[in-house]
Amino acid sequence: MELLQIAEEMGAIYKQNPKVEAIILAGSVSRNLHDEHSDIELHILWKTPPEDKDRKKPIEQVNGRILSYYPFEEEEWSESYVINAGVKLEISNFLTTTVENIISDIVDNHEIDYVKQCLVASVNDGGSIYGHNIIASLKNRVAKYPLELAKRMISENLSFSNKWANRHALLYRQDWLMLYEVICEIQKNLYGVLFGLNNIYVHHPAFKWMNYNIKSMHLKPQNLYNRMTTILVGSPNNSVVELEKLIEEIIDLIEEQIPELDISKQKERIGYVK
């Protein structure tokens, strides 16, 4: 059975509860990126806090097997379960007011918090299963990516940690674990910069769907995906050299696209090598 069809059928079950205001299809299914390893992610928006019976009844109706079940924490209730078709569902329950507040944190207050951005990205890119007017209103609020958010994403992600200055020493000493920890950290920083530069909300805190994300960017160094891949699987010496080149090219893009943004301190820090 198609994952989208299952998502819609589960939505029909959840919306029977009068406390439910809207249901958003999120994750890979909503972006048409799903494969045989994918699960279904649903965001259930509630008028009032859901009780255990509200959360468990839909699972019982489909004879689901609960894999995880968490109480209210960090603004949500969450659970995951497997249904008879062998499909896993990841459910995130939010108050509608919480989603509205998180949207304000990102688009009005320009917070760069990736967990909050992931929710905003789900609103922006997700599918509407139920509560179409509510979801349309939320989508309207996040449709325009704020320039100030872009600037913060760039400035803060260009503030590399001191570990970057040790790259040549780590390479010389063949401290591979430490070196690749630094390489991965800097790659994530660069992704954060490019998400901001391209006005894209972060979809996943660990930058899942890398190839898809890069294809959606209109401002990026040439051959970015292959170069990022080679940095991870190529020779360590070439990886460091290539990463330095990418940093230079991304800085050039920033200065070309947002010349009023002062990144002089970040450039000085990036250029320092022990």
Side-chain angles (χ1 to χ4, degrees):
M1 186 179 295
E2 289 289 335
L3 296 184
L4 181 58
Q5 181 182 343
I6 295 174
E8 291 172 345
E9 291 176 355
M10 290 306 304
I13 293 174
Y14 276 98
K15 74 178 184 180
Q16 293 172 7
N17 191 318
K19 294 182 182 179
V20 173
E21 290 194 297
I23 302 173
I24 299 172
L25 175 63
S28 60
V29 178
S30 71
R31 298 180 174 93
N32 199 29
L33 298 174
H34 53 286
D35 55 30
E36 65 271 20
H37 304 291
S38 298
D39 50 29
I40 296 171
E41 296 179 38
L42 295 178
H43 293 347
I44 315 297
L45 277 54
W46 300 80
K47 297 177 186 177
T48 57
E51 300 177 30
D52 284 343
K53 62 182 180 181
D54 297 314
R55 297 167 60 191
K56 289 183 176 179
K57 185 176 180 180
I59 304 174
E60 294 168 355
Q61 285 185 237
V62 295
N63 297 314
R65 177 170 59 89
I66 294 177
L67 301 176
S68 64
Y69 190 88
Y70 296 103
F72 182 73
E73 55 185 3
E74 297 184 358
E75 304 296 335
E76 73 173 293
W77 301 260
S78 63
E79 58 264 10
S80 65
Y81 56 92
V82 176
I83 62 175
N84 290 337
V87 175
K88 180 183 176 184
L89 286 99
E90 294 278 357
I91 308 298
S92 296
N93 302 280
F94 302 94
L95 293 177
T96 304
T97 53
T98 296
V99 176
E100 292 169 343
N101 290 337
I102 289 175
I103 288 174
S104 291
D105 289 340
I106 300 298
V107 302
D108 298 328
N109 301 327
H110 313 129
E111 294 184 17
I112 69 168
D113 183 284
Y114 284 177
V115 174
K116 292 182 179 180
Q117 280 199 58
C118 288
L119 179 55
V120 172
S122 293
V123 170
N124 191 51
D125 303 332
S128 176
I129 289 183
Y130 173 66
H132 305 306
N133 290 338
I134 291 174
I135 295 173
S137 177
L138 296 175
K139 284 180 174 291
N140 186 59
R141 288 191 61 194
V142 304
K144 184 176 181 180
Y145 190 100
L147 176 59
E148 290 305 314
L149 177 60
K151 290 180 177 179
R152 285 198 65 184
M153 285 288 291
I154 293 167
S155 295
E156 297 194 23
N157 278 292
L158 272 185
S159 298
F160 293 175
S161 72
N162 291 329
K163 296 177 184 178
W164 176 240
N166 296 322
R167 60 195 182 277
H168 290 172
L170 295 173
L171 184 62
Y172 176 79
R173 297 167 183 164
Q174 298 186 353
D175 283 329
W176 305 129
L177 288 177
M178 292 181 67
L179 177 64
Y180 277 93
E181 179 183 7
V182 172
I183 286 174
C184 289
E185 177 183 298
I186 298 306
Q187 282 194 325
K188 289 179 180 179
N189 280 107
L190 295 181
Y191 278 127
V193 169
L194 288 170
F195 268 78
L197 189 62
N198 285 275
N199 297 338
I200 302 172
Y201 299 110
V202 174
H203 301 127
H204 190 279
F207 298 104
K208 191 177 179 181
W209 309 309
M210 185 170 68
N211 196 14
Y212 164 79
N213 290 329
I214 288 175
K215 286 180 179 178
S216 68
M217 295 174 179
H218 61 283
L219 296 172
K220 60 192 173 187
Q222 288 188 349
N223 202 24
L224 178 61
Y225 178 76
N226 289 336
R227 292 168 72 184
M228 284 289 209
T229 301
T230 301
I231 286 169
L232 292 174
V233 301
S235 73
N237 186 69
N238 290 340
S239 296
V240 170
V241 172
E242 186 62 42
L243 192 51
E244 290 173 337
K245 290 179 181 177
L246 276 178
I247 292 169
E248 291 178 2
E249 292 174 33
I250 290 172
I251 287 175
D252 288 343
L253 282 173
I254 296 166
E255 293 180 329
E256 176 185 323
Q257 297 297 320
I258 314 179
E260 72 273 19
L261 181 61
D262 183 7
I263 56 172
S264 56
K265 291 182 179 179
Q266 289 91 330
K267 288 170 63 177
E268 181 179 356
R269 186 185 184 93
I270 288 169
Y272 175 68
V273 180
K274 287 186 179 180

